[in-house]
Amino acid sequence: MIDNRLAPYGALGLRVALGLMFIAHAYLKLVIFTPAGFTGFLGQVGLPGFLAWPIMLAELIGGIAILIGFHGRLVSAALLPVLLGALAIHAPNGWVFNAPNGGWEYPAFLALTAFAHVLIGDGALAVAGTRSALSAKPALA
């Protein structure tokens, strides 16, 4: 059963956590790993290095959009390929993320969280976005 009074705030919590996660990962790539380091990592895992900047910018700009609720569910849908790519890269390393080179459980969780955001919607305090199934009016029979 869904509590229609509180569900928008649950969606807000999901949206804020997901947006902050994307921003944190972009920051990690930009400041800690550096763009050159991330480019090198992509090359080591068989991906073209030119994807480094688009990935970092997608995570940063997308994270901000999700955080403030600016068409967040569409942004989450657009970022799903990034998360599924991370999942594919980490899959051979085992389950837990503290495995050498990181396992696949965290990227899988984030991909499912983004997918849930797409389905649920932006929730309360969103700047602009598409309506969720919770706020949609039932169709007339």
Side-chain angles (χ1 to χ4, degrees):
M1 206 64 176
I2 294 176
D3 183 338
N4 288 327
R5 294 173 303 117
L6 298 177
Y9 300 101
L12 168 65
L14 176 85
R15 188 185 86 225
V16 167
L18 188 61
L20 289 174
M21 183 283 312
F22 273 115
I23 294 167
H25 278 250
Y27 178 81
L28 183 70
K29 290 174 181 76
L30 286 165
V31 177
I32 306 300
F33 298 145
T34 74
F38 184 53
T39 299
F41 170 76
L42 290 177
Q44 288 176 346
V45 297
L47 293 173
F50 71 81
L51 291 176
W53 275 104
I55 290 170
M56 291 184 293
L57 290 174
E59 288 180 345
L60 180 61
I61 296 167
I64 293 168
I66 291 169
L67 179 64
I68 66 172
F70 184 76
H71 301 285
R73 63 195 312 202
L74 296 175
V75 174
S76 280
L79 288 172
L80 270 172
V82 173
L83 294 171
L84 295 175
L87 176 60
I89 288 168
H90 290 286
N93 303 334
W95 166 249
V96 289
F97 205 66
N98 65 353
N101 298 315
W104 60 270
E105 121 267 354
Y106 190 58
F109 176 79
L110 293 174
L112 287 171
T113 303
F115 184 65
H117 180 217
V118 170
L119 295 176
I120 294 170
D122 289 330
L125 306 176
V127 174
T130 54
R131 293 166 46 117
S132 72
L134 294 173
S135 65
K137 294 181 181 177
L140 298 175

